Amino acid sequence: MSFRKVVRQSKFRHVFGQPVKNDQCYEDIRVSRVTWDSTFCAVNPKFLAVIVEASGGGAFLVLPLSKTGRIDKAYPTVCGHTGPVLDIDWCPHNDEVIASGSEDCTVMVWQIPENGLVSPLTEPVVVLEGHTKRVGIVTWHPTARNVLLSAGCDNVVLIWNVGTAEELYRLDTLHPDLIYNVSWNRNGSLFCSACKDKSVRVIDPRRGTLVAEREKAHEGARPMRAIFLADGKVFTTGFSRMSERQLALWDPACAGVPSPGVCTVTSRAP
């Protein structure tokens, strides 16, 4: 009796990447070295924003996408915060509006000139004050104009009306520990969050209620992340007790049960 080994051929098996040339990259940017779990950059169809090192406060660069190559150290920055900037996010409804959260406990909203910065920008359009500790997360509502979510080390989630600088909703009882990240669903009716207590939560912000919760989504002590997918499921990344990397897909409709047919993927972390 003979056995034949069947190997499924991948169409990506012989695909190789080609690095772009230096003049097509952004070079000599002094990216912030603040110890915070963030991407430190944000991009939209017109601009690239990068949080950079700054003395005496916080700052970030805003570069037109076409301005590649070496960036002059004297290039103007957005520099209105009195503490390091921790997170930035472009408005999905206006490519010239960006929000920033900082260690100075404030959220600021900025209007970027149509052709980019020609001088340092120090005056925000709106200053949002409501957090008592540093603000590490800012994310715009995907469908409603002028609605912004912020979360800080005070374990509080605030949802703002940027047009009037008012708090729309304050969620201060749903997270007992540091919030790692927040992600809206496609229509903005719900958001999911990953917390230091190892729970992933799905929250209705208008009612201030917990829709679903998965405790110990990843049992490792290292930070995890959660995002909403287009079909309403929640995708998470984290670590096992042995510091192995894990990816998982959850169905909120089943109270945090892994989605049918999808397994948790684990790999050894470096």
Side-chain angles (χ1 to χ4, degrees):
M1 185 175 182
S2 61
F3 293 91
R4 184 177 62 179
K5 185 177 181 180
V6 178
V7 178
R8 184 171 64 88
Q9 297 294 328
S10 170
K11 61 182 179 181
F12 302 108
R13 185 175 182 182
H14 301 293
V15 174
F16 300 94
Q18 182 69 32
V20 297
K21 298 179 180 178
N22 289 344
D23 60 355
Q24 296 176 304
C25 298
Y26 300 92
E27 288 192 293
D28 206 22
I29 296 177
R30 296 167 291 119
V31 179
S32 174
R33 290 179 291 180
V34 174
T35 55
W36 186 262
D37 189 22
S38 169
T39 57
F40 292 105
C41 65
V43 67
N44 70 9
K46 292 184 65 175
F47 298 108
L48 167 70
V50 183
I51 302 173
V52 295
E53 287 290 320
S55 57
F60 58 94
L61 281 173
V62 175
L63 303 169
L65 294 184
S66 59
K67 186 175 177 56
T68 54
R70 189 171 298 277
I71 306 301
D72 194 317
K73 291 183 179 180
Y75 194 86
T77 61
V78 181
C79 51
H81 284 286
T82 58
V85 176
L86 301 179
D87 196 21
I88 50 178
D89 191 39
W90 288 104
C91 177
H93 306 105
N94 187 333
D95 289 339
E96 294 160 11
V97 173
I98 187 170
S100 59
S102 168
E103 281 192 5
D104 63 12
C105 306
T106 66
V107 176
M108 295 185 180
V109 179
W110 309 85
Q111 178 75 42
I112 305 301
E114 183 178 355
N115 297 318
L117 298 177
V118 294
S119 61
L121 183 60
T122 59
E123 293 297 327
V125 177
V126 179
V127 178
L128 305 174
E129 298 178 322
H131 289 282
T132 58
K133 294 184 179 180
R134 55 184 178 171
V135 182
I137 299 170
V138 289
T139 179
W140 291 93
H141 194 281
T143 58
R145 285 182 175 271
N146 292 333
V147 176
L148 177 69
L149 180 151
S150 65
C153 290
D154 50 8
N155 308 336
V156 175
V157 175
L158 296 178
I159 299 177
W160 303 89
N161 180 339
V162 173
T164 60
E166 294 178 306
E167 286 184 21
L168 294 177
Y169 305 102
R170 172 179 287 264
L171 309 175
D172 54 6
T173 60
L174 298 177
H175 297 91
D177 212 328
L178 180 67
I179 303 167
Y180 286 138
N181 88 295
V182 171
S183 173
W184 292 101
N185 66 355
R186 282 298 179 93
N187 61 19
S189 61
L190 303 170
F191 68 82
C192 67
S193 65
C195 184
K196 193 175 181 179
D197 68 352
K198 302 180 184 179
S199 289
V200 173
R201 296 173 173 85
V202 176
I203 296 169
D204 183 335
R206 289 173 292 184
R207 297 183 179 181
T209 57
L210 195 62
V211 175
E213 180 178 7
R214 172 66 184 189
E215 297 179 357
K216 294 184 179 180
H218 299 278
E219 295 191 348
R222 300 169 71 176
M224 63 180 180
R225 294 258 170 173
I227 61 170
F228 255 116
L229 303 182
D231 62 359
K233 293 182 175 64
V234 176
F235 180 75
T236 63
T237 63
F239 297 86
S240 69
R241 289 182 179 177
M242 303 301 293
S243 290
E244 296 171 317
R245 297 186 187 277
Q246 292 184 327
L247 312 176
L249 187 63
W250 309 94
D251 188 350
C254 300
V257 175
S259 182
V262 180
C263 299
T264 300
V265 180
T266 304
S267 66
R268 178 68 65 181

